[in-house]
Every structure is written in structure tokens, then in C-alpha cells.
Coordinates of all heavy atoms in Angstrom, one line a residue:
S1 N 118.8 85.7 101.3 CA 118.1 86.7 102.0 C 118.4 88.1 101.5 O 117.5 89.0 101.4 CB 118.4 86.6 103.5 OG 118.0 85.4 104.0
I2 N 119.7 88.3 101.2 CA 120.1 89.6 100.7 C 119.5 90.0 99.4 O 118.9 91.1 99.2 CB 121.7 89.7 100.6 CG1 122.3 89.5 102.0 CG2 122.1 91.0 100.0 CD1 123.8 89.3 101.9
A3 N 119.5 89.0 98.5 CA 119.0 89.2 97.1 C 117.4 89.4 97.1 O 116.9 90.2 96.5 CB 119.4 88.1 96.2
S4 N 116.8 88.5 97.9 CA 115.3 88.5 97.9 C 114.8 89.8 98.5 O 113.7 90.3 98.1 CB 114.7 87.3 98.5 OG 115.1 87.3 99.9
A5 N 115.5 90.4 99.4 CA 115.1 91.6 100.1 C 115.6 92.8 99.3 O 115.2 94.0 99.6 CB 115.6 91.7 101.5
D6 N 116.5 92.6 98.3 CA 117.1 93.7 97.6 C 117.6 94.8 98.5 O 117.3 96.0 98.4 CB 116.2 94.3 96.5 CG 116.9 95.2 95.5 OD1 118.1 94.9 95.3 OD2 116.2 96.1 95.0
M7 N 118.5 94.3 99.4 CA 119.0 95.2 100.5 C 119.8 96.3 100.0 O 120.6 96.2 99.1 CB 119.8 94.4 101.5 CG 119.0 93.4 102.3 SD 120.0 92.5 103.5 CE 118.9 91.3 104.1
D8 N 119.6 97.5 100.6 CA 120.5 98.6 100.4 C 121.7 98.5 101.2 O 121.8 97.5 102.0 CB 119.8 100.0 100.6 CG 119.3 100.2 102.0 OD1 119.9 99.6 102.9 OD2 118.4 101.0 102.2
L9 N 122.7 99.4 101.2 CA 123.9 99.2 101.9 C 123.8 99.2 103.4 O 124.4 98.5 104.1 CB 124.9 100.3 101.5 CG 125.3 100.2 100.0 CD1 126.3 101.3 99.6 CD2 125.9 98.9 99.6
N10 N 122.8 100.0 103.9 CA 122.6 100.1 105.4 C 122.0 98.7 105.9 O 122.4 98.2 106.9 CB 121.7 101.2 105.7 CG 122.4 102.6 105.6 OD1 123.6 102.7 105.6 ND2 121.6 103.6 105.3
Q11 N 121.0 98.2 105.1 CA 120.4 97.0 105.5 C 121.4 95.8 105.4 O 121.4 94.9 106.2 CB 119.2 96.7 104.5 CG 118.0 97.6 104.7 CD 117.0 97.4 103.6 OE1 117.3 97.2 102.5 NE2 115.7 97.6 104.0
L12 N 122.2 95.9 104.3 CA 123.3 94.8 104.1 C 124.2 94.8 105.3 O 124.5 93.8 105.9 CB 124.0 95.1 102.9 CG 125.2 94.2 102.6 CD1 124.7 92.7 102.3 CD2 126.0 94.7 101.4
E13 N 124.7 96.0 105.7 CA 125.6 96.1 106.9 C 125.0 95.5 108.1 O 125.6 94.8 108.9 CB 126.0 97.5 107.1 CG 127.1 97.7 108.1 CD 127.6 99.1 108.3 OE1 127.5 99.9 107.3 OE2 128.0 99.5 109.4
A14 N 123.7 95.9 108.4 CA 123.1 95.4 109.6 C 122.9 93.9 109.5 O 123.1 93.2 110.5 CB 121.7 96.1 109.8
F15 N 122.5 93.4 108.4 CA 122.3 91.9 108.2 C 123.6 91.2 108.4 O 123.6 90.2 109.1 CB 121.7 91.7 106.8 CG 121.5 90.2 106.5 CD1 120.5 89.5 107.1 CD2 122.4 89.5 105.7 CE1 120.3 88.1 106.8 CE2 122.3 88.2 105.4 CZ 121.2 87.5 105.9
L16 N 124.7 91.6 107.8 CA 125.9 90.9 107.9 C 126.5 91.0 109.3 O 127.1 90.0 109.8 CB 126.9 91.5 106.9 CG 126.6 91.2 105.4 CD1 127.6 91.8 104.5 CD2 126.6 89.7 105.2
T17 N 126.3 92.1 110.0 CA 126.7 92.2 111.4 C 126.0 91.2 112.2 O 126.6 90.6 113.1 CB 126.5 93.7 111.9 OG1 127.2 94.6 111.1 CG2 126.9 93.8 113.4
A18 N 124.7 91.1 112.0 CA 123.9 90.1 112.8 C 124.4 88.7 112.5 O 124.5 87.8 113.4 CB 122.5 90.2 112.4
Q19 N 124.8 88.4 111.2 CA 125.3 87.1 110.9 C 126.6 86.8 111.5 O 126.9 85.6 111.8 CB 125.4 87.0 109.3 CG 124.0 87.0 108.6 CD 123.1 86.0 109.0 OE1 123.4 84.8 109.1 NE2 121.9 86.3 109.4
T20 N 127.5 87.8 111.7 CA 128.8 87.5 112.3 C 128.6 87.3 113.8 O 129.5 86.6 114.4 CB 129.7 88.7 112.1 OG1 129.2 89.9 112.6 CG2 130.0 88.9 110.6
K21 N 127.6 87.8 114.4 CA 127.4 87.6 115.8 C 126.6 86.3 116.2 O 126.6 86.0 117.4 CB 126.6 88.8 116.4 CG 127.4 90.1 116.3 CD 126.7 91.3 116.9 CE 127.6 92.5 116.8 NZ 126.9 93.7 117.3
K22 N 126.0 85.7 115.2 CA 125.3 84.4 115.4 C 126.3 83.3 115.7 O 127.4 83.3 115.2 CB 124.5 84.0 114.2 CG 123.2 84.6 114.0 CD 122.6 84.4 112.7 CE 121.7 83.2 112.7 NZ 121.0 83.0 111.4
Q23 N 125.8 82.4 116.6 CA 126.6 81.2 116.9 C 126.7 80.4 115.6 O 125.7 80.1 115.0 CB 125.9 80.4 117.9 CG 126.5 79.1 118.3 CD 127.5 79.1 119.4 OE1 127.5 80.1 120.1 NE2 128.3 78.1 119.5
G24 N 127.9 80.1 115.1 CA 128.1 79.3 113.9 C 127.8 80.2 112.6 O 127.6 79.6 111.6
G25 N 127.8 81.5 112.8 CA 127.6 82.4 111.7 C 128.9 82.6 110.8 O 129.8 81.7 110.9
I26 N 128.9 83.7 110.1 CA 130.1 83.9 109.2 C 131.1 84.8 109.9 O 130.8 85.4 110.9 CB 129.6 84.6 107.9 CG1 128.9 86.0 108.3 CG2 128.6 83.7 107.2 CD1 128.5 86.8 107.0
T27 N 132.3 84.8 109.4 CA 133.4 85.6 110.0 C 133.3 87.0 109.4 O 132.6 87.2 108.4 CB 134.8 85.0 109.6 OG1 135.0 85.1 108.2 CG2 134.9 83.5 110.1
S28 N 134.0 87.9 110.0 CA 134.0 89.3 109.5 C 134.7 89.4 108.1 O 134.3 90.2 107.3 CB 134.7 90.2 110.5 OG 136.0 89.8 110.7
D29 N 135.6 88.5 107.8 CA 136.3 88.5 106.5 C 135.2 88.0 105.5 O 135.2 88.6 104.4 CB 137.5 87.6 106.5 CG 138.7 88.2 107.3 OD1 138.7 89.4 107.4 OD2 139.5 87.4 107.7
Q30 N 134.5 87.0 105.8 CA 133.4 86.5 104.9 C 132.4 87.6 104.7 O 131.9 87.8 103.5 CB 132.8 85.3 105.4 CG 133.7 84.0 105.4 CD 133.1 82.9 106.1 OE1 132.4 83.0 107.1 NE2 133.4 81.6 105.6
A31 N 132.0 88.3 105.7 CA 131.0 89.4 105.6 C 131.6 90.5 104.7 O 130.8 91.0 103.9 CB 130.7 90.0 107.0
A32 N 132.8 90.8 104.8 CA 133.4 91.8 103.9 C 133.4 91.4 102.5 O 133.1 92.2 101.6 CB 134.9 92.1 104.4
V33 N 133.7 90.1 102.2 CA 133.6 89.6 100.8 C 132.2 89.7 100.3 O 132.0 90.1 99.1 CB 134.2 88.2 100.7 CG1 134.0 87.6 99.4 CG2 135.7 88.2 101.1
I34 N 131.3 89.2 101.1 CA 129.9 89.2 100.7 C 129.4 90.7 100.4 O 128.7 90.9 99.4 CB 129.0 88.6 101.7 CG1 129.3 87.1 101.8 CG2 127.5 88.8 101.4 CD1 128.6 86.4 103.0
A35 N 129.8 91.6 101.2 CA 129.4 93.0 101.1 C 130.0 93.6 99.8 O 129.3 94.3 99.0 CB 129.8 93.8 102.2
K36 N 131.2 93.3 99.5 CA 131.9 93.8 98.3 C 131.2 93.2 97.0 O 131.0 93.9 96.1 CB 133.4 93.4 98.3 CG 134.1 94.0 97.1 CD 135.6 93.7 97.2 CE 136.3 94.3 96.0 NZ 137.7 94.1 96.0
F37 N 130.9 91.9 97.1 CA 130.3 91.2 96.0 C 128.9 91.8 95.7 O 128.5 92.1 94.6 CB 130.2 89.7 96.2 CG 129.6 88.9 95.1 CD1 130.3 88.5 94.0 CD2 128.2 88.6 95.1 CE1 129.7 87.8 93.0 CE2 127.6 87.9 94.1 CZ 128.4 87.5 93.0
W38 N 128.1 92.0 96.8 CA 126.8 92.6 96.6 C 126.8 94.0 96.1 O 126.1 94.3 95.2 CB 126.1 92.6 98.0 CG 124.7 93.1 97.9 CD1 124.2 94.2 98.5 CD2 123.6 92.5 97.2 NE1 122.9 94.4 98.2 CE2 122.5 93.4 97.4 CE3 123.4 91.4 96.4 CZ2 121.2 93.1 96.8 CZ3 122.1 91.2 95.9 CH2 121.1 92.0 96.1
K39 N 127.8 94.8 96.5 CA 127.9 96.2 96.0 C 128.2 96.2 94.5 O 127.7 97.0 93.8 CB 129.0 96.9 96.8 CG 128.6 97.3 98.2 CD 129.8 97.9 99.0 CE 129.5 98.0 100.4 NZ 130.6 98.5 101.2
N40 N 129.1 95.2 94.1 CA 129.5 95.2 92.7 C 128.4 94.6 91.8 O 128.4 94.9 90.6 CB 130.8 94.5 92.5 CG 131.9 95.3 93.2 OD1 131.9 96.5 93.2 ND2 133.0 94.5 93.6
H41 N 127.6 93.7 92.3 CA 126.7 92.9 91.4 C 125.2 93.0 91.8 O 124.4 92.2 91.2 CB 127.1 91.4 91.5 CG 128.5 91.2 91.0 ND1 128.9 91.2 89.7 CD2 129.7 90.9 91.7 CE1 130.2 91.0 89.5 NE2 130.7 90.8 90.8
R42 N 124.9 93.9 92.6 CA 123.5 94.0 93.1 C 122.5 94.2 91.9 O 121.5 93.5 91.8 CB 123.4 95.3 94.0 CG 122.0 95.5 94.5 CD 121.9 96.7 95.3 NE 120.5 96.9 95.7 CZ 120.1 98.0 96.3 NH1 120.9 98.9 96.7 NH2 118.8 98.1 96.7
T43 N 122.8 95.1 91.0 CA 121.9 95.3 89.9 C 121.7 94.1 89.0 O 120.6 93.7 88.7 CB 122.4 96.5 89.0 OG1 122.6 97.6 89.8 CG2 121.4 96.8 87.9
H44 N 122.8 93.4 88.7 CA 122.7 92.2 87.8 C 121.9 91.1 88.6 O 121.1 90.4 87.9 CB 124.1 91.7 87.5 CG 124.2 90.5 86.7 ND1 123.8 90.5 85.4 CD2 124.5 89.2 87.0 CE1 123.9 89.2 84.9 NE2 124.3 88.5 85.9
I45 N 122.2 90.9 89.8 CA 121.5 89.9 90.6 C 120.0 90.2 90.7 O 119.2 89.3 90.5 CB 122.1 89.7 92.0 CG1 123.5 89.2 91.9 CG2 121.2 88.8 92.9 CD1 124.3 89.3 93.2
H46 N 119.6 91.4 90.9 CA 118.2 91.8 91.0 C 117.5 91.6 89.7 O 116.4 91.0 89.6 CB 118.1 93.3 91.4 CG 116.8 93.8 91.6 ND1 116.0 93.3 92.6 CD2 116.0 94.6 90.9 CE1 114.8 93.9 92.6 NE2 114.8 94.7 91.5
E47 N 118.1 92.0 88.6 CA 117.5 91.8 87.2 C 117.4 90.3 86.9 O 116.4 89.9 86.3 CB 118.4 92.5 86.2 CG 118.3 94.0 86.2 CD 119.2 94.7 85.3 OE1 120.0 94.0 84.5 OE2 119.2 95.9 85.2
S48 N 118.4 89.5 87.3 CA 118.3 88.0 87.1 C 117.1 87.4 87.9 O 116.4 86.6 87.3 CB 119.6 87.4 87.5 OG 119.5 86.0 87.4
L49 N 116.9 87.8 89.1 CA 115.8 87.3 89.9 C 114.5 87.7 89.3 O 113.5 86.9 89.3 CB 115.9 87.8 91.3 CG 117.0 87.2 92.2 CD1 117.1 87.8 93.6 CD2 116.8 85.7 92.3
I50 N 114.4 88.9 88.8 CA 113.1 89.4 88.2 C 112.9 88.6 86.9 O 111.8 88.1 86.7 CB 113.2 90.9 87.8 CG1 113.1 91.7 89.1 CG2 112.1 91.3 86.9 CD1 113.4 93.2 88.9
H51 N 113.9 88.3 86.1 CA 113.8 87.6 84.9 C 113.3 86.1 85.2 O 112.5 85.6 84.5 CB 115.1 87.5 84.1 CG 115.0 86.8 82.8 ND1 114.3 87.2 81.7 CD2 115.6 85.6 82.5 CE1 114.4 86.3 80.8 NE2 115.2 85.3 81.2
Q52 N 113.9 85.5 86.2 CA 113.5 84.1 86.6 C 112.1 84.0 87.2 O 111.5 83.0 87.1 CB 114.5 83.6 87.6 CG 115.9 83.4 87.1 CD 116.9 83.0 88.2 OE1 116.5 82.5 89.3 NE2 118.1 83.2 88.0
S53 N 111.6 85.1 87.8 CA 110.3 85.0 88.4 C 109.1 85.4 87.5 O 108.0 85.2 87.8 CB 110.2 86.0 89.6 OG 110.3 87.3 89.2
R54 N 109.4 85.8 86.2 CA 108.4 86.1 85.3 C 107.8 84.9 84.7 O 108.4 83.8 84.6 CB 108.9 87.0 84.1 CG 109.2 88.4 84.5 CD 109.6 89.1 83.2 NE 110.1 90.4 83.5 CZ 110.8 91.1 82.7 NH1 111.3 90.6 81.6 NH2 111.2 92.3 83.1
W55 N 106.5 85.0 84.3 CA 105.9 83.9 83.6 C 106.4 83.9 82.2 O 107.1 84.8 81.7 CB 104.4 84.1 83.5 CG 103.7 84.1 84.8 CD1 104.2 83.6 86.0 CD2 102.4 84.6 85.1 NE1 103.3 83.8 87.0 CE2 102.1 84.4 86.5 CE3 101.4 85.2 84.4 CZ2 101.0 84.7 87.1 CZ3 100.2 85.5 85.0 CH2 100.0 85.3 86.3
D56 N 106.1 82.8 81.5 CA 106.6 82.7 80.1 C 106.0 83.8 79.2 O 106.7 84.3 78.4 CB 106.2 81.3 79.5 CG 107.2 80.2 80.1 OD1 108.2 80.6 80.6 OD2 106.8 79.1 80.0
N57 N 104.7 84.1 79.3 CA 104.1 85.0 78.5 C 104.1 86.4 79.1 O 104.0 86.6 80.3 CB 102.7 84.7 78.2 CG 102.6 83.4 77.3 OD1 103.4 83.2 76.4 ND2 101.6 82.6 77.5
V58 N 104.3 87.4 78.3 CA 104.3 88.8 78.8 C 103.3 89.6 77.9 O 103.0 89.2 76.8 CB 105.7 89.5 78.7 CG1 106.6 88.8 79.7 CG2 106.3 89.5 77.3
L59 N 102.8 90.7 78.4 CA 101.9 91.5 77.7 C 102.6 92.4 76.7 O 103.5 93.2 77.1 CB 101.1 92.4 78.7 CG 100.0 93.3 78.1 CD1 98.9 92.5 77.4 CD2 99.4 94.2 79.2
K60 N 102.4 92.2 75.4 CA 103.1 93.0 74.4 C 102.3 94.3 74.0 O 102.9 95.3 73.8 CB 103.2 92.2 73.1 CG 104.1 91.0 73.3 CD 105.6 91.4 73.3 CE 106.5 90.2 73.2 NZ 107.8 90.5 73.3
N61 N 101.0 94.2 74.0 CA 100.2 95.3 73.5 C 98.8 95.1 74.1 O 98.3 94.0 74.3 CB 100.1 95.3 72.0 CG 99.5 96.6 71.5 OD1 99.4 97.6 72.2 ND2 99.0 96.6 70.3
M62 N 98.1 96.3 74.3 CA 96.7 96.2 74.8 C 95.9 97.3 74.2 O 96.4 98.5 74.1 CB 96.7 96.3 76.3 CG 95.3 96.2 76.9 SD 95.3 96.2 78.7 CE 94.5 97.7 79.0
N63 N 94.7 97.0 73.6 CA 93.8 98.0 73.1 C 92.5 97.8 73.8 O 92.1 96.7 74.1 CB 93.6 97.8 71.6 CG 94.9 98.0 70.8 OD1 95.6 99.0 71.0 ND2 95.2 97.1 69.9
W64 N 91.8 98.9 74.0 CA 90.5 98.8 74.6 C 89.5 99.9 74.1 O 90.0 100.9 73.6 CB 90.6 98.8 76.2 CG 91.1 100.1 76.7 CD1 92.3 100.5 76.8 CD2 90.3 101.2 77.1 NE1 92.4 101.8 77.3 CE2 91.1 102.3 77.5 CE3 88.9 101.5 77.2 CZ2 90.7 103.5 78.0 CZ3 88.4 102.7 77.7 CH2 89.3 103.7 78.1
R65 N 88.3 99.6 74.3 CA 87.3 100.6 73.9 C 86.0 100.3 74.7 O 85.8 99.2 75.1 CB 87.0 100.7 72.4 CG 86.3 99.5 71.8 CD 86.0 99.7 70.3 NE 85.0 98.8 69.9 CZ 85.3 97.8 69.0 NH1 86.5 97.6 68.6 NH2 84.3 97.0 68.7
V66 N 85.1 101.3 74.8 CA 83.8 101.1 75.4 C 82.8 101.4 74.3 O 82.8 102.5 73.7 CB 83.6 102.0 76.6 CG1 82.2 101.9 77.2 CG2 84.7 101.7 77.7
D67 N 81.9 100.5 74.1 CA 80.8 100.6 73.1 C 79.5 100.8 73.8 O 79.3 100.2 74.9 CB 80.7 99.4 72.2 CG 81.8 99.3 71.2 OD1 82.6 100.2 71.1 OD2 82.0 98.2 70.7
L68 N 78.6 101.6 73.2 CA 77.2 101.8 73.7 C 76.3 101.2 72.7 O 76.4 101.5 71.5 CB 76.9 103.2 74.0 CG 77.6 103.9 75.1 CD1 77.3 105.4 75.2 CD2 77.3 103.2 76.5
K69 N 75.4 100.4 73.1 CA 74.4 99.8 72.2 C 73.3 100.8 71.9 O 72.7 101.4 72.9 CB 73.8 98.5 72.8 CG 74.8 97.4 73.0 CD 74.2 96.2 73.6 CE 75.3 95.1 73.8 NZ 74.7 93.9 74.4
S70 N 73.0 101.1 70.7 CA 72.0 102.1 70.3 C 70.7 101.5 69.7 O 69.7 102.2 69.7 CB 72.6 103.1 69.3 OG 73.0 102.4 68.1
Q71 N 70.8 100.2 69.3 CA 69.6 99.6 68.8 C 69.5 98.2 69.3 O 70.4 97.4 69.1 CB 69.6 99.5 67.3 CG 69.2 100.8 66.6 CD 69.1 100.6 65.1 OE1 69.8 99.7 64.5 NE2 68.2 101.3 64.5
L72 N 68.4 97.9 70.0 CA 68.1 96.5 70.5 C 66.7 96.3 70.5 O 65.8 97.2 70.4 CB 68.7 96.4 71.9 CG 70.2 96.3 72.0 CD1 70.7 96.4 73.4 CD2 70.7 95.0 71.4
R73 N 66.3 95.0 70.7 CA 64.9 94.7 70.8 C 64.2 95.3 72.1 O 63.1 95.7 72.0 CB 64.7 93.2 70.9 CG 64.6 92.6 69.5 CD 64.3 91.1 69.7 NE 65.0 90.5 68.6 CZ 65.0 89.2 68.3 NH1 64.3 88.4 69.1 NH2 65.7 88.7 67.3
H74 N 65.0 95.2 73.2 CA 64.4 95.6 74.4 C 65.0 97.0 74.8 O 66.2 97.2 74.8 CB 64.7 94.6 75.5 CG 64.2 93.2 75.2 ND1 62.9 92.9 75.2 CD2 64.9 92.1 74.8 CE1 62.8 91.6 74.8 NE2 64.0 91.1 74.6
I75 N 64.1 97.9 75.1 CA 64.5 99.3 75.4 C 65.5 99.4 76.6 O 66.3 100.3 76.7 CB 63.3 100.2 75.6 CG1 63.7 101.7 75.6 CG2 62.6 99.9 76.9 CD1 63.9 102.2 74.2
D76 N 65.3 98.5 77.6 CA 66.1 98.5 78.8 C 67.6 98.2 78.5 O 68.5 98.4 79.4 CB 65.6 97.6 79.9 CG 65.5 96.2 79.5 OD1 65.5 95.9 78.3 OD2 65.5 95.3 80.4
Q77 N 67.9 97.6 77.4 CA 69.3 97.3 77.0 C 70.0 98.4 76.2 O 71.2 98.3 76.0 CB 69.4 96.0 76.3 CG 68.9 94.8 77.1 CD 69.0 93.5 76.3 OE1 69.0 93.5 75.1 NE2 69.0 92.4 77.0
I78 N 69.3 99.4 75.8 CA 69.9 100.5 75.0 C 70.8 101.3 76.0 O 70.5 101.5 77.1 CB 68.8 101.4 74.4 CG1 68.1 100.6 73.3 CG2 69.4 102.7 73.8 CD1 67.0 101.4 72.6
N79 N 71.9 101.8 75.4 CA 72.9 102.6 76.1 C 73.6 101.8 77.3 O 74.1 102.4 78.2 CB 72.3 103.9 76.7 CG 72.0 104.9 75.6 OD1 72.6 104.9 74.5 ND2 71.0 105.7 75.8
T80 N 73.6 100.5 77.1 CA 74.4 99.7 78.1 C 75.8 99.6 77.6 O 76.1 99.2 76.5 CB 73.8 98.3 78.1 OG1 72.4 98.3 78.5 CG2 74.5 97.4 79.2
P81 N 76.7 100.1 78.5 CA 78.1 100.1 78.0 C 78.7 98.7 78.0 O 78.4 97.9 78.8 CB 78.8 101.0 79.1 CG 78.0 100.9 80.3 CD 76.6 100.7 79.8
V82 N 79.5 98.4 77.0 CA 80.2 97.1 76.8 C 81.7 97.5 76.6 O 82.0 98.2 75.7 CB 79.7 96.3 75.6 CG1 80.5 95.1 75.5 CG2 78.2 96.0 75.8
A83 N 82.5 96.9 77.5 CA 84.0 97.1 77.3 C 84.6 96.0 76.5 O 84.3 94.8 76.7 CB 84.6 97.2 78.7
I84 N 85.4 96.4 75.5 CA 86.1 95.4 74.7 C 87.6 95.6 74.9 O 88.1 96.7 74.7 CB 85.7 95.6 73.2 CG1 84.2 95.4 73.0 CG2 86.5 94.6 72.3 CD1 83.7 95.7 71.7
V85 N 88.2 94.5 75.3 CA 89.7 94.6 75.6 C 90.4 93.5 74.7 O 90.0 92.4 74.7 CB 89.9 94.3 77.1 CG1 91.4 94.3 77.4 CG2 89.2 95.2 78.0
E86 N 91.4 94.0 74.1 CA 92.2 93.1 73.2 C 93.7 93.1 73.8 O 94.3 94.2 73.9 CB 92.2 93.6 71.8 CG 93.1 92.8 70.9 CD 93.2 93.4 69.5 OE1 92.6 94.4 69.2 OE2 93.9 92.8 68.6
M87 N 94.2 92.0 74.2 CA 95.5 91.9 74.7 C 96.4 91.0 73.9 O 95.9 89.9 73.5 CB 95.5 91.3 76.2 CG 94.8 92.3 77.1 SD 94.9 91.7 78.8 CE 93.6 90.5 78.8
E88 N 97.6 91.4 73.5 CA 98.5 90.6 72.7 C 99.6 90.1 73.7 O 100.3 90.9 74.3 CB 99.1 91.5 71.6 CG 100.1 90.7 70.8 CD 100.8 91.6 69.7 OE1 100.3 92.8 69.6 OE2 101.7 91.2 69.1
L89 N 99.7 88.8 73.7 CA 100.7 88.2 74.6 C 101.8 87.6 73.7 O 101.6 87.3 72.6 CB 100.1 87.0 75.4 CG 98.9 87.4 76.3 CD1 98.4 86.1 77.0 CD2 99.4 88.3 77.4
G90 N 103.0 87.6 74.3 CA 104.2 87.0 73.6 C 105.1 86.3 74.6 O 105.0 86.5 75.8
K91 N 106.0 85.6 74.1 CA 107.0 84.9 74.9 C 108.0 85.9 75.5 O 108.3 86.9 74.8 CB 107.8 83.8 74.1 CG 106.9 82.6 73.7 CD 106.6 81.8 74.9 CE 105.9 80.5 74.5 NZ 105.4 79.8 75.7
N92 N 108.4 85.7 76.7 CA 109.4 86.5 77.3 C 110.7 86.5 76.6 O 111.2 85.5 76.2 CB 109.6 86.0 78.8 CG 110.3 87.0 79.6 OD1 110.5 88.2 79.2 ND2 110.7 86.6 80.8
G93 N 111.2 87.7 76.2 CA 112.4 87.9 75.5 C 112.3 87.8 74.0 O 113.3 87.8 73.3
Q94 N 111.1 87.7 73.5 CA 110.9 87.6 72.0 C 110.1 88.8 71.6 O 109.3 89.4 72.3 CB 110.2 86.4 71.6 CG 111.0 85.1 71.9 CD 110.2 83.9 71.5 OE1 109.0 83.9 71.1 NE2 110.9 82.7 71.5

């Protein structure tokens, strides 16, 4: 719950206080250890969760342009914009 919500210190304190007051919850010593661990490793845990939740492929590069048709058989199709998008995908971490 702490990691998925990426809790700040105030949220963490409120959450752990609630957990210590629950029937069968954690002790205040356990809450202190969890708080210290979260304060020291929050950034690493958050980055690890983001890395695990990504798809295999990531967007490496994207090019786009809009073309206008200037010559066609039918006059109603002239100046019709056409968007061309080129996306380069790569494996995550490569």
C-alpha cells in the first residue's frame, strides 16, 4: 500500500498510525522500522515499480508530418490533409 500510493512522510505517518491501532495490526516498533526503511529506500522502490510496470517495448523516436494532396483525379480530394507518423520502438533498457 505504501509503495503503490508512493506515500509522502505525512501520508506514511498517518497510514502507520492507523495500522498500529488496528486489531491484529503492527506494533509501534514495527511501524518505526517500516518508516525508516521507506524514508531511506523510497526512490529506489518507486523506480523499481515503474520499471516492472512498463511494457517490453518503449518509444525510442517519433517523426511526423502533414501532407496536402495537390493533384488527384477528383477535385474534392485536393488539399485533403494526410498525417504521416513514424514511430521507432525498442526493447526496454536497450
